[in-house]
């Protein structure tokens, strides 16, 4: 008894959303029934009166059937024989309850089942039963389509995660080869600095390997990886590179997909600061504004080309389009990546993600 009471209590919150979701379709079905009863079956005193009765009877049927379905089966698919038996009981019951409510609303005496009304009453009950069955089949198919759509979304996200893991397994060749070449030069000329660079490279590779084995990370972990990468780059570029990492403590546990920030920092170094003779500064900053998580990478490098598209779907930059595709698949259309000019010089790459879309288990 306690288990049944607990089960019913846990299903109570499901009732209101289900009733609200079925309200508009039910109103349309009730309107159609009023038209059929008035102009095809030619029953009742007129359309307005029949509409009142149809609304009361149809809405009562919806409430009884939805509540019965939720109490008996919850979110599970109903047992078909049991469900149709429930329809056979609730269809005539809905007629009598709705009839009483409608009679009270229009101020006329309640007329129960009399011999003179038998044919009309039976006809209306059969009509209600058919409508209930039709509506039930409609909702059944709608639920199955929704389940299939949800499954497709999960499959799509899993495919994106598989592509992401392949991407994570690849160390950026340009950075790695240049670092090894620098190490080869420093071993004979500056062995202490070479040792520091080797230690930093090992630290970076360990951080990258750890990230590549997960489908979800946190901003704190992503910043540790970014710090290792920028530390390695600063040893290689020397005084030509300065950097700053700005992540509030309260945002460190925030879940995020891996390898969203890292490519933007690599782009800032490779395309912005490395080609510049005097180098420059790279700043990575995270903040929250109007329900959006904003991750920004500022550099004072070469800046954006004035003849190239960076923020349009037809952008030729495959790395940027890869990030945009992953953002859309993982966090929805409101998540975006934009590139703008940094004032007075350089580039700003910015990712915005709705806080409501940040799920600790994105593939669930």
């Amino acid at each position: 008894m306690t288990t049944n009471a607990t089960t019913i209590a846990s299903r109570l919150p499901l009732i209101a959303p289900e009733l609200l979701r079925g309200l508009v379709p039910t109103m349309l079905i009730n309107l159609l029934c009023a038209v059929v009863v008035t102009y095809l079956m030619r029953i009742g005193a007129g359309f307005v009166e029949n509409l009142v009765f149809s609304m009361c009877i149809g809405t009562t049927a919806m409430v009884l059937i939805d509540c019965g379905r939720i109490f008996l089966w919850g979110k599970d698919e109903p047992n078909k024989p049991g469900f149709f038996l429930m329809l056979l009981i609730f269809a005539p019951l809905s007629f009598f309850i709705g009839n009483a409510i409608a009679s009270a609303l229009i101020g006329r005496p309640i007329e129960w089942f009399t011999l003179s009304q038998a044919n009309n009453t039976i006809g209306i009950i059969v009509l209600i039963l058919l409508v209930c069955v039709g509506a039930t089949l409609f909702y059944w198919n709608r639920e199955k389509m929704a389940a299939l759509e949800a499954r497709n979304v999960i499959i799509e996200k899993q495919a994106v995660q598989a592509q992401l893991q392949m991407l994570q397994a690849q160390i950026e060749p340009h950075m790695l080869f240049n670092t090894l070449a620098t190490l080869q030069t420093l071993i004979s000329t500056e062995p202490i600095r070479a040792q520091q660079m080797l230690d930093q490279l090992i630290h970076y590779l360990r951080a990258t390997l750890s990230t590549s084995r997960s489908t979800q990370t946190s901003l704190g972990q992503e910043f540790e990886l970014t710090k290792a990468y920028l530390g390695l780059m600063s040893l290689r570029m020397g005084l030509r590179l300065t950097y700053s990492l700005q992540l509030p403590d309260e945002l460190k546990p925030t879940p995020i997909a891996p390898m969203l920030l890292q490519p933007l920092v690599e782009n800032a170094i490779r395309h912005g600061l490395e080609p510049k003779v005097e180098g420059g500064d790279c700043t990575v900053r995270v903040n929250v504004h109007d329900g959006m998580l904003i991750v920004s990478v500022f550099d004072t490098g070469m800046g954006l080309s004035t003849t190239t598209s960076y923020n349009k779907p037809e952008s030729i930059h495959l790395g940027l389009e890869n990030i945009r595709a992953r953002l859309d698949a993982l966090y929805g259309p409101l998540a975006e990546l934009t590139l703008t000019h940094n004032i007075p010089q350089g580039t700003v790459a910015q990712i915005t993600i709705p806080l409501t879309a940040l799920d600790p288990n994105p593939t669930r």
Side-chain angles (χ1 to χ4, degrees), residues 261-276:
L261 174 60
Q262 182 73 10
L264 299 183
V265 177
E266 290 182 5
N267 279 346
I269 299 295
R270 182 178 180 183
H271 300 293
L273 297 173
E274 262 194 326
K276 193 175 180 180

Side-chain angles (χ1 to χ4, degrees), residues 53-362:
F53 276 85
S54 178
M55 288 293 178
C56 292
I57 295 171
T59 305
T60 302
M62 179 197 73
V63 172
L64 290 177
I65 292 170
D66 272 353
C67 289
R69 176 178 60 84
I70 292 171
F71 281 134
L72 292 174
W73 295 284
K75 289 185 176 181
D76 298 332
E77 184 174 341
N79 173 274
K80 289 186 179 180
F83 189 77
F84 283 112
L85 177 61
M86 185 179 71
L87 285 181
L88 289 173
I89 297 172
F90 282 164
L93 185 61
S94 301
F95 170 78
F96 291 116
I97 295 176
N99 181 65
I101 296 173
S103 297
L105 287 176
I106 64 175
R108 88 176 192 189
I110 299 175
E111 296 180 359
W112 299 111
F113 193 84
T114 62
L115 186 62
S116 61
Q117 297 172 320
N119 292 333
N120 290 345
T121 303
I122 292 174
I124 293 175
I125 291 176
V126 170
L127 176 63
I128 294 172
L129 183 60
L130 292 175
V131 169
C132 289
V133 171
T136 300
L137 293 176
F138 167 77
Y139 284 120
W140 230 317
N141 290 331
R142 188 183 69 173
E143 293 297 330
K144 287 184 178 180
M145 291 298 294
L148 287 175
E149 184 177 352
R151 185 176 179 182
N152 289 337
V153 170
I154 292 175
I155 292 173
E156 181 181 357
K157 287 187 177 182
Q158 289 174 339
V160 170
Q161 291 294 343
Q163 293 175 354
L164 176 58
Q165 289 180 331
M166 293 177 61
L167 175 66
Q168 292 168 316
Q170 300 173 357
I171 302 299
E172 213 282 81
H174 175 84
M175 180 275 295
L176 184 58
F177 292 153
N178 281 353
T179 301
L180 292 175
T182 304
L183 271 173
Q184 188 177 35
T185 302
L186 291 177
I187 286 173
S188 57
T189 59
E190 299 182 56
I192 296 179
R193 187 180 170 200
Q195 182 63 49
Q196 291 175 336
M197 181 173 287
L198 182 59
D199 292 342
Q200 192 67 33
L201 178 60
I202 292 173
H203 176 58
Y204 170 72
L205 292 176
R206 281 176 177 168
T208 302
L209 181 62
S210 175
T211 303
S212 68
R213 291 177 176 175
S214 63
T215 59
Q216 185 77 349
T217 184
S218 66
L219 282 174
Q221 291 171 316
E222 280 294 283
F223 264 63
E224 284 298 317
L225 178 60
T226 302
K227 182 179 179 181
Y229 172 76
L230 289 173
L232 181 62
M233 291 298 99
S234 67
L235 283 173
R236 187 163 67 80
M237 294 176 62
L239 297 177
R240 294 176 58 236
L241 174 64
T242 59
Y243 64 89
S244 172
L245 301 175
Q246 302 172 13
L247 175 64
D249 290 340
E250 62 271 17
L251 293 179
K252 287 182 179 180
T254 303
I256 193 169
M259 292 301 289
L260 288 176
L261 174 60
Q262 182 73 10
L264 299 183
V265 177
E266 290 182 5
N267 279 346
I269 299 295
R270 182 178 180 183
H271 300 293
L273 297 173
E274 262 194 326
K276 193 175 180 180
V277 176
E278 65 273 28
D281 178 76
C282 179
T283 298
V284 184
R285 181 186 304 159
V286 178
N287 64 298
V288 173
H289 180 70
D290 286 343
M292 304 292 287
L293 180 75
I294 303 174
V295 181
S296 306
V297 178
F298 301 84
D299 72 70
T300 59
M302 301 295 290
L304 300 175
S305 170
T306 56
T307 60
T308 304
S309 170
Y310 296 93
N311 297 312
K312 296 181 179 180
E314 64 268 18
S315 170
I316 62 173
H317 297 271
L318 297 180
L320 299 180
E321 290 312 301
N322 177 274
I323 294 175
R324 289 191 175 102
R326 287 163 52 208
L327 285 172
D328 181 69
L330 293 171
Y331 303 117
L334 294 180
E336 61 178 357
L337 164 67
T338 57
L339 270 71
T340 56
H341 296 281
N342 191 15
I343 304 299
Q345 190 175 18
T347 304
V348 179
Q350 191 170 84
I351 289 176
T352 56
I353 303 173
L355 290 175
T356 54
L358 293 171
D359 188 343
N361 299 292

